[in-house]
């Protein structure tokens, strides 16, 4: 009875947020059965402290008190937009305030002369739709850069609504770039669609979907205006080419669109050249660890069946990604990086029955990913040797 009372108070708190903060009309208040972002007595304080911690870390890094920082905060924030829930959105994805965006806006504010340009790199398995909305509406978009690499599967995209079920991996956005606003989205095909992709299914080519190309198709070179040099390179490169790095084994498909190879290739070819060209004074990382192999955050959940894995990153992939970002930071901004925890939940126990959501999640892989990330933040050039698996092909 007490637990039900707590749940009722949580829903009441959520409804009050919709009515008072987002100004939602009474007939548009979200149904309690569809409300997944709980708001209880301590939620506002926790969310404000999370955003405040990121802003404090930004200050400490910019003035040189700390070289970099990792903010272990919850709730996550990258699905929260200007007004929280995005227009047309179904959920805030457990987010209340967008902490990383708050840190970015804090960094480029007029009071802080040490940061003219701030880059946000989102490696959570879900698209940072809230962060993208805030970047789009920034008063000076030339000061911000946003990169998101995430799973994308949206059967509803471009189709009329029907009574038949149409699957969408949350939030179902992030398949288009907007280089005029320094926004780069890299959608990764889920592993549950790997067979279709290998059989000739089309991969998302966000590099041809830009604001400039949508507004004017008469120009043959319409994407050059806002594209960072090297950001659109089609040159094939080994994502794990650096000496000592642990590269996943090469699959039969030479042009992978899913899994670890696709992820590393996108970081190497899409993120690093664009980030270097933007030349930021500060880099913020939305560090979601829910792309780890087996994490429930990247799984496809179907009633009565086992989870289907979307992506298979390992802890060393997070160490590798962190090292790559810090290498750019060393070149551009004296290593100034602030990382902010986003998603990451754990694995369903191996002995759990399909559809059983009562078993406690196994968080060992989640904590291992976070640990590798922290080690790479401390010493990016030693982390691979430290763990001893770097030289082995997987």
């Amino acid at each position: 009875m007490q637990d039900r009372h707590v749940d009722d108070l949580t829903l009441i708190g959520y409804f009050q947020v919709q009515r008072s903060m987002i100004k939602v009309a009474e007939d548009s208040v979200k149904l309690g059965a569809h409300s997944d972002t709980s708001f209880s007595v301590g939620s506002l304080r926790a969310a404000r402290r999370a955003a405040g911690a990121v802003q404090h870390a930004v200050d400490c890094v910019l003035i040189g008190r700390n070289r970099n920082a990792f903010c272990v905060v919850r709730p996550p924030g990258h699905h929260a937009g200007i007004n929280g829930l995005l227009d047309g959105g179904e959920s805030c994805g457990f987010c209340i305030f967008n902490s990383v965006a708050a840190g970015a806006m804090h960094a480029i504010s007029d009071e802080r002369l040490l940061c003219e340009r701030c880059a946000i790199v989102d490696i959570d398995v879900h698209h940072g739709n809230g962060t993208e909305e805030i970047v789009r509406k920034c008063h000076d978009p030339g000061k911000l850069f946003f990169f998101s690499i995430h799973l994308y599967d949206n059967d509803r995209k471009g189709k009329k609504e029907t009574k038949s079920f149409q699957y969408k991996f949350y939030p179902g956005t992030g398949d288009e770039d907007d280089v005029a606003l320094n926004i780069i989205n890299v959608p990764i095909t889920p592993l549950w669609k790997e067979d279709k992709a290998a059989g000739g299914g089309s991969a998302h080519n966000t590099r041809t979907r830009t604001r400039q190309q949508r507004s004017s198709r008469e120009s043959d070179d319409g994407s050059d205006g806002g594209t960072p040099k090297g950001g659109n390179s089609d040159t094939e490169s080994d994502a794990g080419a650096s000496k000592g790095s642990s590269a996943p084994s090469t699959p039969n498909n030479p042009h992978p669109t899913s899994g670890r190879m696709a992820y590393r290739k996108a970081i190497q070819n899409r993120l690093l050249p664009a980030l270097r060209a933007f030349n930021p004074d500060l880099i913020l990382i939305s560090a979601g660890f829910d792309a780890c192999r087996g994490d429930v955050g990247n799984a496809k959940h179907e009633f009565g069946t086992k989870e289907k894995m979307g992506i298979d990153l390992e802890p060393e992939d997070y160490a590798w990604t962190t090292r790559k970002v810090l290498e750019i930071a060393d070149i551009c901004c004296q290593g100034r990086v602030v990382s902010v925890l986003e998603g990451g939940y754990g694995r369903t126990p191996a002995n759990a029955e399909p559809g059983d959501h009562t078993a406690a999640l196994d968080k060992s892989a989640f904590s291992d990913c976070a640990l590798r990330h922290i080690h790479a933040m401390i010493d990016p050039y030693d982390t691979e040797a430290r763990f001893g698996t770097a030289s082995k092909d997987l």
Side-chain angles (χ1 to χ4, degrees):
M1 190 70 179
Q2 184 177 2
D3 291 339
R4 182 172 181 178
H5 178 64
V6 171
D7 290 341
D8 290 343
L9 288 178
T10 298
L11 289 177
I12 291 171
Y14 180 76
F15 299 150
Q16 289 176 347
V17 170
Q18 293 185 78
R19 294 188 186 103
S20 62
M21 297 181 68
I22 315 176
K23 308 300 181 185
V24 173
E26 190 68 29
D27 58 351
S28 299
V29 171
K30 195 172 181 180
L31 295 175
H34 299 160
S35 300
D36 61 358
T37 304
S38 300
F39 198 95
S40 61
V41 112
S43 298
L44 180 60
R45 185 180 184 186
R48 292 179 65 180
R49 286 193 169 199
V54 176
Q55 292 183 336
H56 178 67
V58 165
D59 283 339
C60 289
V61 169
L62 285 179
I63 65 175
R65 183 178 300 168
N66 300 99
R67 180 177 175 81
N68 56 45
F70 179 38
C71 300
V72 186
V73 295
R74 284 283 168 90
H78 69 151
H79 296 307
I82 295 282
N83 296 314
L85 184 66
L86 276 67
D87 292 340
E90 301 167 347
S91 166
C92 274
F94 314 135
C95 302
I96 298 174
F97 298 138
N98 195 317
S99 301
V100 75
M105 299 304 294
H106 182 72
I108 63 172
S109 61
D110 294 337
E111 292 80 11
R112 282 153 195 84
L113 304 179
L114 295 173
C115 186
E116 288 293 325
R117 293 175 304 280
C118 180
I120 302 172
V121 177
D122 192 326
I123 59 173
D124 190 276
V125 78
H126 303 93
H127 176 233
N129 54 337
T131 306
E132 179 174 321
E133 182 194 56
I134 293 171
V135 170
R136 286 183 180 277
K137 296 186 178 182
C138 177
H139 64 285
D140 190 351
K143 290 187 173 184
L144 292 176
F145 168 94
F146 176 66
F147 175 92
S148 178
I149 181 168
H150 47 269
L151 285 186
Y152 180 84
D153 185 8
N154 188 357
D155 293 337
R156 307 178 194 177
K157 178 80 172 183
K159 298 179 182 178
K160 295 182 179 180
E161 291 190 10
T162 64
K163 293 183 179 180
S164 61
F165 175 74
Q166 293 175 315
Y167 180 78
K168 181 181 77 171
F169 183 78
Y170 180 79
T173 55
D175 64 327
E176 297 183 359
D177 292 344
D178 197 337
V179 293
L181 296 179
N182 298 320
I183 294 172
I184 298 177
N185 285 310
V186 180
I188 299 293
T189 303
L191 289 171
W192 62 72
K193 299 186 74 172
E194 188 176 34
D195 293 339
K196 180 179 178 180
S202 60
H204 300 286
N205 185 3
T206 63
R207 285 171 284 187
T208 63
R209 301 175 184 178
T210 65
R211 169 174 290 192
Q212 292 175 331
Q213 289 172 326
R214 290 195 300 270
S215 62
S216 175
R217 297 183 180 273
E218 297 176 358
S219 172
D220 292 332
D221 198 23
S223 63
D224 284 347
T227 306
K229 184 177 179 182
N232 284 353
S233 171
D234 289 323
T235 304
E236 299 295 331
S237 68
D238 180 9
S242 58
K243 184 176 181 180
S245 65
S246 60
S249 57
T250 304
N252 295 329
N253 181 7
H255 305 289
T257 59
S258 60
R260 298 178 66 197
M261 276 301 279
Y263 173 87
R264 287 202 178 204
K265 181 180 176 182
I267 295 295
Q268 189 79 33
N269 292 352
R270 300 294 314 278
L271 171 62
L272 301 183
L275 187 60
R276 176 65 184 93
F278 182 70
N279 197 32
D281 300 307
L282 174 69
I283 299 174
L284 301 180
I285 301 176
S286 276
F289 302 110
D290 43 5
C292 177
R293 179 190 296 271
D295 193 282
V296 296
N298 74 71
K300 183 177 184 179
H301 304 274
E302 295 177 325
F303 182 76
T305 63
K306 291 185 177 181
E307 299 169 345
K308 295 180 180 179
M309 184 169 59
I311 194 167
D312 56 348
L313 297 192
E314 299 288 351
E316 52 264 34
D317 292 312
Y318 286 103
W320 177 85
T321 303
T322 306
R323 179 170 68 85
K324 289 296 183 181
V325 172
L326 263 66
E327 286 175 355
I328 300 296
D330 285 343
I331 296 171
C332 297
C333 53
Q334 300 177 339
R336 293 171 177 160
V337 174
V338 174
S339 179
V340 183
L341 179 63
E342 296 284 1
Y345 309 99
R347 296 170 172 169
T348 301
N351 58 354
E353 294 293 329
D356 179 12
H357 303 297
T358 61
L361 296 177
D362 177 6
K363 296 181 173 61
S364 59
F366 169 45
S367 60
D368 197 14
C369 291
L371 181 63
R372 298 290 184 98
H373 177 66
I374 293 170
H375 275 296
M377 292 282 287
I378 295 171
D379 188 350
Y381 304 103
D382 180 59
T383 183
E384 291 171 341
R386 181 193 303 265
F387 288 97
T389 60
S391 59
K392 298 178 182 178
D393 273 343
L394 301 179

